mmCIF file of all heavy atoms in Angstrom:
data_model
loop_
_atom_site.group_PDB
_atom_site.id
_atom_site.type_symbol
_atom_site.label_atom_id
_atom_site.label_comp_id
_atom_site.label_asym_id
_atom_site.label_seq_id
_atom_site.Cartn_x
_atom_site.Cartn_y
_atom_site.Cartn_z
ATOM 1 N N ARG A 1 93.126 92.103 95.915
ATOM 2 C CA ARG A 1 92.302 92.156 97.172
ATOM 3 C C ARG A 1 91.622 90.855 97.401
ATOM 4 O O ARG A 1 91.652 90.434 98.534
ATOM 5 C CB ARG A 1 91.276 93.335 97.006
ATOM 6 C CG ARG A 1 90.591 93.561 98.299
ATOM 7 C CD ARG A 1 89.696 94.830 98.201
ATOM 8 N NE ARG A 1 88.655 94.689 97.239
ATOM 9 C CZ ARG A 1 87.711 95.605 96.977
ATOM 10 N NH1 ARG A 1 87.685 96.708 97.706
ATOM 11 N NH2 ARG A 1 86.747 95.373 96.050
ATOM 12 N N ASP A 2 91.123 90.231 96.393
ATOM 13 C CA ASP A 2 90.466 88.901 96.543
ATOM 14 C C ASP A 2 91.454 87.848 96.978
ATOM 15 O O ASP A 2 91.170 86.994 97.893
ATOM 16 C CB ASP A 2 89.762 88.422 95.259
ATOM 17 C CG ASP A 2 88.572 89.355 94.906
ATOM 18 O OD1 ASP A 2 88.053 90.126 95.844
ATOM 19 O OD2 ASP A 2 88.203 89.310 93.728
ATOM 20 N N LEU A 3 92.645 87.830 96.382
ATOM 21 C CA LEU A 3 93.675 86.911 96.741
ATOM 22 C C LEU A 3 94.201 87.030 98.176
ATOM 23 O O LEU A 3 94.510 86.080 98.831
ATOM 24 C CB LEU A 3 94.872 86.978 95.801
ATOM 25 C CG LEU A 3 94.554 86.554 94.318
ATOM 26 C CD1 LEU A 3 95.775 86.937 93.418
ATOM 27 C CD2 LEU A 3 94.367 85.039 94.244
ATOM 28 N N GLN A 4 94.234 88.308 98.621
ATOM 29 C CA GLN A 4 94.634 88.528 99.946
ATOM 30 C C GLN A 4 93.805 87.826 100.924
ATOM 31 O O GLN A 4 94.181 87.215 101.943
ATOM 32 C CB GLN A 4 94.761 90.019 100.276
ATOM 33 C CG GLN A 4 95.193 90.373 101.671
ATOM 34 C CD GLN A 4 95.532 91.819 101.879
ATOM 35 O OE1 GLN A 4 94.806 92.702 101.356
ATOM 36 N NE2 GLN A 4 96.566 92.117 102.574
ATOM 37 N N HIS A 5 92.431 87.946 100.728
ATOM 38 C CA HIS A 5 91.487 87.321 101.689
ATOM 39 C C HIS A 5 91.533 85.775 101.554
ATOM 40 O O HIS A 5 91.473 85.056 102.493
ATOM 41 C CB HIS A 5 90.076 87.860 101.320
ATOM 42 C CG HIS A 5 89.869 89.272 101.708
ATOM 43 N ND1 HIS A 5 90.174 89.768 102.867
ATOM 44 C CD2 HIS A 5 89.446 90.295 100.908
ATOM 45 C CE1 HIS A 5 89.876 91.115 102.875
ATOM 46 N NE2 HIS A 5 89.448 91.401 101.667
ATOM 47 N N GLU A 6 91.677 85.235 100.293
ATOM 48 C CA GLU A 6 91.692 83.829 100.023
ATOM 49 C C GLU A 6 92.943 83.174 100.712
ATOM 50 O O GLU A 6 92.784 82.054 101.242
ATOM 51 C CB GLU A 6 91.634 83.558 98.526
ATOM 52 C CG GLU A 6 91.561 82.085 98.213
ATOM 53 C CD GLU A 6 91.496 81.853 96.728
ATOM 54 O OE1 GLU A 6 91.346 82.802 95.938
ATOM 55 O OE2 GLU A 6 91.561 80.652 96.302
ATOM 56 N N PHE A 7 94.025 83.790 100.496
ATOM 57 C CA PHE A 7 95.342 83.114 100.932
ATOM 58 C C PHE A 7 95.869 83.780 102.214
ATOM 59 O O PHE A 7 96.984 83.431 102.631
ATOM 60 C CB PHE A 7 96.378 83.202 99.791
ATOM 61 C CG PHE A 7 95.931 82.401 98.629
ATOM 62 C CD1 PHE A 7 95.582 83.041 97.408
ATOM 63 C CD2 PHE A 7 95.909 81.024 98.625
ATOM 64 C CE1 PHE A 7 95.178 82.328 96.345
ATOM 65 C CE2 PHE A 7 95.655 80.286 97.555
ATOM 66 C CZ PHE A 7 95.222 80.875 96.351
ATOM 67 N N HIS A 8 95.178 84.686 102.813
ATOM 68 C CA HIS A 8 95.591 85.329 104.100
ATOM 69 C C HIS A 8 97.008 85.999 103.906
ATOM 70 O O HIS A 8 97.939 85.818 104.730
ATOM 71 C CB HIS A 8 95.653 84.333 105.262
ATOM 72 C CG HIS A 8 94.344 83.572 105.387
ATOM 73 N ND1 HIS A 8 93.192 84.161 105.831
ATOM 74 C CD2 HIS A 8 93.995 82.299 105.058
ATOM 75 C CE1 HIS A 8 92.294 83.343 105.893
ATOM 76 N NE2 HIS A 8 92.700 82.090 105.375
ATOM 77 N N LEU A 9 97.105 86.749 102.846
ATOM 78 C CA LEU A 9 98.436 87.365 102.462
ATOM 79 C C LEU A 9 98.625 88.679 103.172
ATOM 80 O O LEU A 9 97.657 89.421 103.472
ATOM 81 C CB LEU A 9 98.515 87.546 100.955
ATOM 82 C CG LEU A 9 98.504 86.313 100.071
ATOM 83 C CD1 LEU A 9 98.163 86.713 98.671
ATOM 84 C CD2 LEU A 9 99.858 85.705 100.185
ATOM 85 N N THR A 10 99.874 89.090 103.343
ATOM 86 C CA THR A 10 100.296 90.373 103.758
ATOM 87 C C THR A 10 100.969 91.033 102.568
ATOM 88 O O THR A 10 101.712 90.401 101.825
ATOM 89 C CB THR A 10 101.359 90.213 104.927
ATOM 90 O OG1 THR A 10 100.813 89.507 105.955
ATOM 91 C CG2 THR A 10 101.750 91.607 105.410
ATOM 92 N N TYR A 11 100.634 92.296 102.380
ATOM 93 C CA TYR A 11 101.174 93.067 101.246
ATOM 94 C C TYR A 11 101.967 94.275 101.622
ATOM 95 O O TYR A 11 101.598 95.059 102.525
ATOM 96 C CB TYR A 11 100.036 93.630 100.324
ATOM 97 C CG TYR A 11 99.192 92.578 99.581
ATOM 98 C CD1 TYR A 11 97.954 92.909 99.085
ATOM 99 C CD2 TYR A 11 99.738 91.358 99.250
ATOM 100 C CE1 TYR A 11 97.217 92.000 98.304
ATOM 101 C CE2 TYR A 11 99.027 90.451 98.489
ATOM 102 C CZ TYR A 11 97.696 90.817 98.027
ATOM 103 O OH TYR A 11 97.047 89.866 97.308
ATOM 104 N N LEU A 12 103.071 94.501 100.875
ATOM 105 C CA LEU A 12 103.705 95.834 100.828
ATOM 106 C C LEU A 12 103.368 96.335 99.399
ATOM 107 O O LEU A 12 103.904 95.757 98.410
ATOM 108 C CB LEU A 12 105.232 95.798 100.958
ATOM 109 C CG LEU A 12 105.975 97.125 100.752
ATOM 110 C CD1 LEU A 12 105.446 98.174 101.660
ATOM 111 C CD2 LEU A 12 107.457 96.999 100.888
ATOM 112 N N PHE A 13 102.446 97.242 99.257
ATOM 113 C CA PHE A 13 101.964 97.716 97.966
ATOM 114 C C PHE A 13 102.617 99.102 97.696
ATOM 115 O O PHE A 13 102.262 100.109 98.371
ATOM 116 C CB PHE A 13 100.417 97.834 98.050
ATOM 117 C CG PHE A 13 99.826 98.222 96.766
ATOM 118 C CD1 PHE A 13 99.852 97.427 95.675
ATOM 119 C CD2 PHE A 13 99.231 99.524 96.668
ATOM 120 C CE1 PHE A 13 99.193 97.892 94.444
ATOM 121 C CE2 PHE A 13 98.662 99.956 95.438
ATOM 122 C CZ PHE A 13 98.691 99.137 94.375
ATOM 123 N N ILE A 14 103.438 99.154 96.658
ATOM 124 C CA ILE A 14 104.131 100.336 96.308
ATOM 125 C C ILE A 14 103.482 101.003 95.140
ATOM 126 O O ILE A 14 103.174 100.408 94.119
ATOM 127 C CB ILE A 14 105.612 99.982 96.029
ATOM 128 C CG1 ILE A 14 106.245 99.504 97.347
ATOM 129 C CG2 ILE A 14 106.370 101.205 95.464
ATOM 130 C CD1 ILE A 14 107.667 98.844 97.082
ATOM 131 N N SER A 15 103.249 102.331 95.222
ATOM 132 C CA SER A 15 102.570 103.025 94.071
ATOM 133 C C SER A 15 102.881 104.543 94.222
ATOM 134 O O SER A 15 103.188 105.023 95.354
ATOM 135 C CB SER A 15 101.079 102.804 94.140
ATOM 136 O OG SER A 15 100.463 103.572 93.132
ATOM 137 N N HIS A 16 102.796 105.249 93.076
ATOM 138 C CA HIS A 16 102.859 106.676 93.095
ATOM 139 C C HIS A 16 101.443 107.329 93.257
ATOM 140 O O HIS A 16 101.354 108.569 93.390
ATOM 141 C CB HIS A 16 103.497 107.197 91.821
ATOM 142 C CG HIS A 16 102.732 106.832 90.576
ATOM 143 N ND1 HIS A 16 102.896 105.639 89.946
ATOM 144 C CD2 HIS A 16 101.742 107.490 89.912
ATOM 145 C CE1 HIS A 16 102.100 105.572 88.909
ATOM 146 N NE2 HIS A 16 101.371 106.714 88.887
ATOM 147 N N SER A 17 100.466 106.454 93.218
ATOM 148 C CA SER A 17 99.070 107.010 93.274
ATOM 149 C C SER A 17 98.433 106.777 94.641
ATOM 150 O O SER A 17 98.105 105.692 95.097
ATOM 151 C CB SER A 17 98.252 106.202 92.207
ATOM 152 O OG SER A 17 96.843 106.399 92.416
ATOM 153 N N MET A 18 98.161 107.883 95.297
ATOM 154 C CA MET A 18 97.538 107.780 96.589
ATOM 155 C C MET A 18 96.092 107.223 96.520
ATOM 156 O O MET A 18 95.751 106.334 97.388
ATOM 157 C CB MET A 18 97.503 109.175 97.266
ATOM 158 C CG MET A 18 96.841 109.239 98.620
ATOM 159 S SD MET A 18 97.642 108.259 99.906
ATOM 160 C CE MET A 18 98.791 109.472 100.516
ATOM 161 N N PRO A 19 95.316 107.633 95.659
ATOM 162 C CA PRO A 19 93.938 106.980 95.570
ATOM 163 C C PRO A 19 94.018 105.467 95.375
ATOM 164 O O PRO A 19 93.200 104.699 95.992
ATOM 165 C CB PRO A 19 93.264 107.616 94.422
ATOM 166 C CG PRO A 19 93.918 108.986 94.318
ATOM 167 C CD PRO A 19 95.373 108.727 94.708
ATOM 168 N N LEU A 20 94.942 104.998 94.584
ATOM 169 C CA LEU A 20 95.070 103.556 94.425
ATOM 170 C C LEU A 20 95.574 102.878 95.720
ATOM 171 O O LEU A 20 95.025 101.801 96.069
ATOM 172 C CB LEU A 20 96.191 103.272 93.217
ATOM 173 C CG LEU A 20 96.282 101.874 92.695
ATOM 174 C CD1 LEU A 20 94.956 101.430 92.175
ATOM 175 C CD2 LEU A 20 97.385 101.861 91.677
ATOM 176 N N VAL A 21 96.518 103.490 96.384
ATOM 177 C CA VAL A 21 96.988 102.899 97.686
ATOM 178 C C VAL A 21 95.799 102.937 98.647
ATOM 179 O O VAL A 21 95.589 101.993 99.432
ATOM 180 C CB VAL A 21 98.176 103.818 98.173
ATOM 181 C CG1 VAL A 21 98.434 103.536 99.665
ATOM 182 C CG2 VAL A 21 99.418 103.458 97.395
ATOM 183 N N ARG A 22 95.054 103.989 98.679
ATOM 184 C CA ARG A 22 93.936 104.131 99.601
ATOM 185 C C ARG A 22 92.921 102.988 99.386
ATOM 186 O O ARG A 22 92.378 102.455 100.377
ATOM 187 C CB ARG A 22 93.292 105.470 99.408
ATOM 188 C CG ARG A 22 92.043 105.773 100.281
ATOM 189 C CD ARG A 22 91.432 107.112 99.950
ATOM 190 N NE ARG A 22 90.295 107.356 100.714
ATOM 191 C CZ ARG A 22 89.612 108.535 100.744
ATOM 192 N NH1 ARG A 22 89.980 109.403 99.892
ATOM 193 N NH2 ARG A 22 88.523 108.675 101.473
ATOM 194 N N TYR A 23 92.674 102.653 98.117
ATOM 195 C CA TYR A 23 91.723 101.660 97.808
ATOM 196 C C TYR A 23 92.142 100.218 98.445
ATOM 197 O O TYR A 23 91.276 99.436 98.818
ATOM 198 C CB TYR A 23 91.595 101.552 96.299
ATOM 199 C CG TYR A 23 90.601 100.548 95.788
ATOM 200 C CD1 TYR A 23 89.230 100.738 95.935
ATOM 201 C CD2 TYR A 23 91.002 99.353 95.194
ATOM 202 C CE1 TYR A 23 88.267 99.837 95.469
ATOM 203 C CE2 TYR A 23 90.103 98.386 94.747
ATOM 204 C CZ TYR A 23 88.757 98.658 94.875
ATOM 205 O OH TYR A 23 87.872 97.766 94.434
ATOM 206 N N LEU A 24 93.389 99.916 98.334
ATOM 207 C CA LEU A 24 93.829 98.613 98.698
ATOM 208 C C LEU A 24 94.457 98.481 100.167
ATOM 209 O O LEU A 24 94.459 97.442 100.710
ATOM 210 C CB LEU A 24 94.913 98.116 97.736
ATOM 211 C CG LEU A 24 95.312 96.602 97.695
ATOM 212 C CD1 LEU A 24 94.137 95.788 97.376
ATOM 213 C CD2 LEU A 24 96.426 96.398 96.749
#
């Protein structure tokens, strides 16, 4: 999350965990 703000990144974040996905 910090790196996304620092480097203006776009993410495709893949997970089986909905709460984890919700957080990011």
Side-chain angles (χ1 to χ4, degrees):
R1 188 172 63 175
D2 292 341
L3 291 171
Q4 183 171 37
H5 294 307
E6 182 178 354
F7 295 108
H8 308 289
L9 294 164
T10 303
Y11 288 161
L12 173 61
F13 181 72
I14 295 170
S15 177
H16 61 273
S17 167
M18 177 64 89
L20 193 59
V21 165
R22 177 181 180 180
Y23 180 75
L24 192 61

